[in-house]
Amino acid sequence: MKSKLIGAVAALAIAVGGSLVAATPAQAATPAIMITKVYYNSPGSDTGSNTSLNAEYVRLTNKRSYTINLKSWTMRDKSNHVYTFSSNFYLKPGYNVYIHTGKGTNTSYHRYWGRSWYVWNNSGDAAYLRNSAGTGIDSCSWGSSGSYTYC
């Protein structure tokens, strides 16, 4: 009886330990969709022209081996300016989509927020990506130096 109890405890310890080991890589895994670059300080003077606004952007990259629908996903800054993928938007594996601040015609690789002034603060800010359930997927922050950051 004693050896069966020790065997059961050992088996339980192995099972629990095995599940803990399996959980660690999943927790540390690369997000399915990653913020890979933020160009927060568009080149030249901040005149508010549409060209200048569209030079400010966030690049998202699909890091999975399958297509992901970004419908109802959101991108926001610290001041809670929110861009929403309002309809079906399928991002293929390994592909990027750029979310530009200004106005333009949406395509498979470029989306336009339609704003008339800048979103991302040159003095430091953060970009937050959430899925359709509102769960945080990725974030990227920066300070006051430079014009863009790789995340």
Side-chain angles (χ1 to χ4, degrees), residues 8-98:
V9 170
L12 180 61
I14 290 169
V16 170
S19 67
L20 291 176
V21 171
T24 302
Q27 292 168 352
T30 301
I33 303 292
M34 268 184 75
I35 302 168
T36 52
K37 185 178 182 181
V38 180
Y39 210 120
Y40 54 87
N41 186 4
S42 59
S45 299
D46 289 344
T47 61
S49 72
N50 197 53
T51 301
S52 180
L53 290 168
N54 283 333
E56 182 182 81
Y57 63 81
V58 174
R59 180 178 68 194
L60 304 178
T61 304
N62 182 347
K63 295 294 189 173
R64 294 297 182 261
S65 59
Y66 49 87
T67 298
I68 297 175
N69 186 359
L70 299 182
K71 181 180 181 181
S72 300
W73 285 47
T74 61
M75 170 68 57
R76 66 188 69 226
D77 70 343
K78 283 184 176 180
S79 298
N80 210 31
H81 297 103
V82 181
Y83 173 84
T84 302
F85 287 90
S86 57
S87 59
N88 287 329
F89 182 82
Y90 298 98
L91 190 57
K92 296 177 184 178
Y95 279 71
N96 300 310
V97 60
Y98 296 83

